[in-house]
Amino acid sequence: VQLQASGGGLVQAGESLRLSCAAPGRTLLSNTMAWFRQAPGKEREFVAAVAHSGGEYYADSVAGRFTISRDNSKNTLYLQMNSLKPEDTAVYYCAGSPRIYTRRSSYYQSPSYASWGQGTQVTVSS
């Protein structure tokens, strides 16, 4: 499934952004979906995931500030990012898997996801 991420930009610390991830012509309803991010010189890291059941999973660093959601009628995944910090600066990637996972740890691992978007840059200035 080809995914298209958008919504990144340059904001100041404390501001908000909403990222979107679309799968044109395909449904996200049956997929496990997630957001990852990669900062310069660092490994790609898990940000948030939403399970087929609707369960949500967050990295400790973003819990309470970010919210993952999806609009099945629009085949779109979102990441609402509030109270942004300079350390949130990264390229954000959406990812999807046709699998339904029973192990919590599976949601946090990038190899669990077969489809990836091209990434959208988020830059937070202090």
Side-chain angles (χ1 to χ4, degrees), residues 17-45:
L17 275 176
R18 188 177 77 160
L19 305 183
S20 299
C21 175
R26 304 294 292 268
T27 178
L28 298 179
L29 180 62
S30 60
N31 287 354
T32 299
M33 301 297 298
W35 289 95
F36 286 76
R37 66 186 182 187
Q38 187 167 19
K42 295 188 176 181
E43 298 282 330
R44 185 173 297 186
E45 66 175 3

Side-chain angles (χ1 to χ4, degrees), residues 57 99-107:
Y57 303 86
R99 298 183 63 180
I100 299 173
Y101 296 109
T102 56
R103 293 174 57 184
R104 182 184 180 94
S105 61
S106 296
Y107 294 98

Side-chain angles (χ1 to χ4, degrees), residues 1-3 31-34 93-98 110 112-117:
V1 177
Q2 186 68 30
L3 302 175
N31 287 354
T32 299
M33 301 297 298
Y93 299 89
C94 58
S97 171
S110 57
S112 297
Y113 301 90
S115 300
W116 291 83

Side-chain angles (χ1 to χ4, degrees), residues 15-80:
E15 294 185 340
S16 299
L17 275 176
R18 188 177 77 160
L19 305 183
S20 299
C21 175
R26 304 294 292 268
T27 178
L28 298 179
L29 180 62
S30 60
N31 287 354
T32 299
M33 301 297 298
W35 289 95
F36 286 76
R37 66 186 182 187
Q38 187 167 19
K42 295 188 176 181
E43 298 282 330
R44 185 173 297 186
E45 66 175 3
F46 171 80
V47 176
V50 57
H52 175 265
S53 62
E56 299 172 13
Y57 303 86
Y58 295 95
D60 290 343
S61 59
V62 307
R65 299 188 298 122
F66 291 11
T67 302
I68 189 171
S69 63
R70 61 188 177 190
D71 185 335
N72 295 321
S73 67
K74 297 181 180 179
N75 290 337
T76 304
L77 176 75
Y78 300 102
L79 184 68
Q80 178 66 44

